[in-house]
Amino acid sequence: MDVRAAVATAAGRPLEVMTVQLDGPKAFEVLVEIKATGICHTDEFTLSGADPEGLFPAILGHEGAGVVIDVGPGVTSVQKGDHVIPLYTPECRACPSCLSRKTNLCTAIRATQGQGVMPDGTSRFSLEGKKLHHYMGCSTFANFTVLPEIAVAKIRQDAPFDKVCYIGCGVTTGIGAVLNTAKVERGAKAIVFGIGGIGLNVIQGLRLAGADMIIGVDLNNAKKEWGERFGMTHFVNPTEAGPDLVPHLVNMTKTGADQIGGADFTFDCTGNVGVMRQALEACHRGWGVSVIIGVAPSGAEIATRPFQLVTGRVWKGTAFGGARGRTDVPRIVDWYMDGKIEIDPMITHTMPLSEINAAFDLMRAGTSIRSVVIY
Ligand code: NAD
Ligand code: AHE
Ligand code: ZN
């Protein structure tokens, strides 16, 4: 069938909106009509050429919501008409990783997903007979896409696509990093580096968890008001904090008898390896936990003095907020529908697919939190 898609033809080039061809679902696959998709910084990361796994030409996008239009042979868990959110972290419930109960990183289809193809090794997308790559197993920058059955979460029918698409990445990643990965305790002191589409969801997750002190760090002063809107208690712009940011942050966390200072939990939501080091070193000696969420460019490495770890700080990472998609995503949709979490104010811009490049410009300029393409 013919579908409309924004194609990433080469690294560093604007997306090209065009008609491409999509084959129907094969065994254990589903055809989904994408109704809305968010644009995450990871899409920009891959489009820029910084992603070691980046493949071109490809149809990017991994933060969508839509309706099942058709199912291939063997599909049992969803049917035509179901509303779903695509999952870049699938949940097969049968691989060693799923069965371990220790991780959300299902390994059933990770190898082919990284090669930009479906589990049988072929692509469903093409342009005039030439293969187009899938992206993160989702390719939501097309109005129809094909996904493995294990890579869709069935959600309630009354949830608005143009809002809950954000649960496909940013909302779940930020809130999940707090609740699943860090397991933040009530009364905690936390620092969030990078107050964008992910960082704001970390902040609302910290508020849910009952953190007392939530320090936001961002180069962009406009993010102060945004952070405060979702529960941030203090804001620091590193360029205004004096010569050394880490001692400044540690000093801010010194209270009462504890004059050692340092945060109980820190979160990197920038993808900058220098910031990741600051986030670790701003943790409390003996128990502070620093969670890396940001995705860093090909070749980048993190560094710190081993002493930082010897003295009890813990460095962790998280993908999709540690969430098991088919189990956890429908629950997060319920949280949104019940008013337990907010999404609407973070969606600062909406546009048709034809204007998707404007969403990337807004992100690069720091003027959007989330842009959403509505098909
Ligand atoms: P975004 O562009 O909306 O926000 C990034 C924020 O970081 C901006 O406010 C920017 O001003 C700030 N920033 C940049 N450099 C900084 C610095 N040196 N110090 C302080 N602040 C700085 O991006 P986003 O969509 O929120 O994504 C954030 C990161 O998270 C990206 O690296 C993205 O790829 C990654 N990500 C990871 C996962 C995961 O599962 N681990 C999921 C989604 C996104
Ligand atoms: N391809 C990149 C890795 C990018 C990455 O870490 N992606 C996250 C999700 S970011 C969503 O916005 C993720 O899920 N990682 C786990 C995985 O299996 O990829 C690179 O650096 O190679
Ligand atoms: Zn993302």
Side-chain angles (χ1 to χ4, degrees):
M1 64 191 283
D2 283 351
V3 306
R4 290 295 285 168
V7 179
T9 55
R13 306 257 318 146
L15 302 179
E16 287 183 32
V17 179
M18 57 178 92
T19 299
V20 306
Q21 288 71 52
L22 178 65
D23 290 338
K26 295 191 180 175
F28 306 109
E29 296 175 3
V30 298
L31 172 67
V32 174
E33 180 177 6
I34 299 293
K35 296 287 195 181
T37 180
I39 291 100
C40 170
H41 208 117
T42 307
D43 297 305
E44 158 62 8
F45 160 78
T46 301
L47 182 59
S48 74
D51 182 353
E53 277 189 308
L55 295 165
F56 301 91
I59 298 173
L60 305 181
H62 61 281
E63 198 175 76
V67 182
V68 175
I69 298 297
D70 198 7
V71 301
V75 170
T76 54
S77 59
V78 287
Q79 58 188 15
K80 287 182 199 178
D82 282 348
H83 292 198
V84 292
I85 287 181
L87 301 170
Y88 60 85
T89 307
E91 182 186 355
C92 77
R93 301 176 177 158
C95 72
S97 297
C98 284
L99 292 175
S100 75
R101 308 301 298 159
K102 295 178 186 172
T103 178
N104 66 327
L105 293 176
C106 174
T107 46
I109 58 169
R110 182 62 182 85
T112 48
Q113 186 173 314
Q115 292 154 10
V117 289
M118 296 297 285
D120 73 348
T122 63
S123 176
R124 301 289 160 271
F125 287 108
S126 59
L127 176 61
E128 292 162 0
K130 287 197 186 134
K131 166 178 161 179
L132 295 171
H133 291 98
H134 294 249
Y135 175 65
M136 291 176 70
C138 293
S139 292
T140 58
F141 294 168
N143 61 345
F144 291 86
T145 190
V146 170
L147 300 126
E149 170 184 21
I150 58 167
V152 295
K154 183 176 163 181
I155 60 164
R156 55 198 274 175
Q157 303 250 342
D158 57 343
F161 296 115
D162 60 339
K163 305 294 189 303
V164 298
C165 59
Y166 197 3
I167 294 173
C169 183
V171 172
T172 305
T173 298
I175 293 178
V178 173
L179 302 183
N180 301 324
T181 309
K183 298 187 170 57
V184 169
E185 302 120 10
R186 206 169 309 161
K189 295 174 196 160
I191 309 175
V192 183
F193 294 78
I195 309 173
I198 306 302
L200 280 178
N201 280 292
V202 171
I203 290 173
Q204 80 162 325
L206 287 164
R207 185 170 60 180
L208 263 184
D212 271 355
M213 183 180 220
I214 306 174
I215 303 174
V217 180
D218 204 294
L219 297 167
N220 179 350
N221 281 333
K223 300 301 174 88
K224 178 175 186 290
E225 204 176 322
W226 274 107
E228 286 169 352
R229 167 80 180 71
F230 290 94
M232 183 183 78
T233 58
H234 303 72
F235 176 75
V236 175
N237 182 329
T239 60
E240 297 166 4
D244 209 342
L245 177 65
V246 171
H248 179 81
L249 293 169
V250 168
N251 271 330
M252 286 175 76
T253 60
K254 287 180 183 167
T255 47
D258 184 359
Q259 288 303 308
I260 298 170
D264 302 309
F265 299 95
T266 66
F267 299 85
D268 167 69
C269 313
T270 70
N272 177 313
V273 292
V275 174
M276 292 176 191
R277 179 177 191 153
Q278 292 170 335
L280 177 80
E281 296 180 359
C283 279
H284 200 289
R285 175 187 168 92
W287 66 73
V289 175
S290 185
V291 180
I292 293 177
I293 304 175
V295 169
S298 177
E301 295 184 348
I302 47 171
T304 192
R305 284 191 66 217
F307 177 73
Q308 295 287 339
L309 305 181
V310 167
T311 48
R313 295 172 191 82
V314 176
W315 225 341
K316 301 181 89 170
T318 187
F320 198 37
R324 292 182 173 82
R326 288 202 286 163
T327 305
D328 295 338
V329 161
R331 196 176 302 153
I332 298 175
V333 171
D334 286 342
W335 290 357
Y336 166 68
M337 296 299 286
D338 295 345
K340 189 172 169 185
I341 60 169
E342 289 188 272
I343 293 181
D344 300 19
M346 292 186 215
I347 298 176
T348 50
H349 300 78
T350 58
M351 62 270 295
L353 185 66
S354 56
E355 288 167 28
I356 191 168
N357 286 303
F360 284 84
D361 292 339
L362 288 161
M363 180 195 296
R364 292 182 199 116
T367 39
S368 60
I369 298 299
R370 247 341 179 235
S371 292
V372 167
V373 163
I374 302 175
Y375 288 98

